[in-house]
Structure formats: C-alpha cells, structure tokens
Amino acid sequence: MNLGKVIESYDGMIHKSNGATPKEILDIETTLNLKFGDEYKSYLNSYGNISFLGAEIYGYISKESGELSVLNNTLNEDELLGKGYFVIMNIGNGDLALLDNHDNVYFYYHEIDKIVSQNIKFNEYVIELLKKNLKEM
C-alpha cells in the first residue's frame, strides 16, 4: 500500500507540516554526515513530519520549532552519532526508532544500549503504525 494514500485516508487525524525542499534535505544530510534513503526523502519532501495521537514521526520542521526535527533529535543522541543511524521516533521509555540510509527500521533500547533490526522498511513501518493506532477512530 502507498504511504501517501494511507496518510491522506486519515486526513484530519494526522497533523502534517510543510514538506522540505531538496536543498533543505541535503542540508540535514550534510549536517548529520548521513544519506537518507529514497522512502524517507520522499516523506520529508511530501510531509516534513507527521504527528497523531501524541506520537510523532520526526522529519523536517522549520528552525523556529525543532522538537520534531530529525536533525535535532539525532544530534541529541550522542551514543548514536557516527553509527549511520538517524532518529525518527521516540517509542517510549527512552527507546527510539531509527533508520539507516536504506530505509531499514531499527529500535534502540537505551537500557541495554542495543540496536535491533525490525526487518521492516520505513513506509511499511509508518503504514502499520498508523493503521494500528488510528483504526478505531
């Protein structure tokens, strides 16, 4: 299923920011010294970031309000810097959802300092998350 169609199907239940330009995406990649995968770049370009029911999928947001920014959240996680991952979501209890440059999703469990592959790509992860959390609305 197409991520864009799923996001649009929940219109009114999902808050979307403005998308990022290719230059803004490149600036974030340069600052983090990482390359984003094609799925995540498309998400950044189309939506910037999204939030729903108190959950956020980090992305691009203007400099005035950086709490949902992939840039700020990745830079704030010193233990992850330089390992090739960037932070896309706080999944609770200090644990994080991460992406690599091929759009693979990982969870970082802070208490055991371990990164575990979730065997899922970004678009599929977001679709499953939205359907699970918004299905009853």
Side-chain angles (χ1 to χ4, degrees), residues 29-69:
E29 289 177 315
T30 301
T31 301
L32 293 175
N33 195 28
L34 294 168
K35 292 289 181 198
F36 298 142
D38 291 339
E39 291 181 9
Y40 191 67
K41 280 183 185 178
S42 178
Y43 165 81
L44 290 173
N45 185 254
S46 298
Y47 306 105
N49 71 69
I50 62 171
S51 59
F52 55 95
L53 298 177
E56 299 91 16
I57 311 268
Y58 304 145
Y60 171 79
I61 194 159
S62 68
K63 290 178 173 59
E64 296 83 39
S65 175
E67 67 188 42
L68 303 180
S69 159

Side-chain angles (χ1 to χ4, degrees), residues 74-92:
T74 301
L75 291 174
N76 287 336
E77 298 300 330
D78 295 341
E79 66 275 9
L80 298 174
L81 289 177
K83 293 186 178 178
Y85 303 101
F86 49 96
V87 180
I88 60 161
M89 185 175 197
N90 180 329
I91 57 174

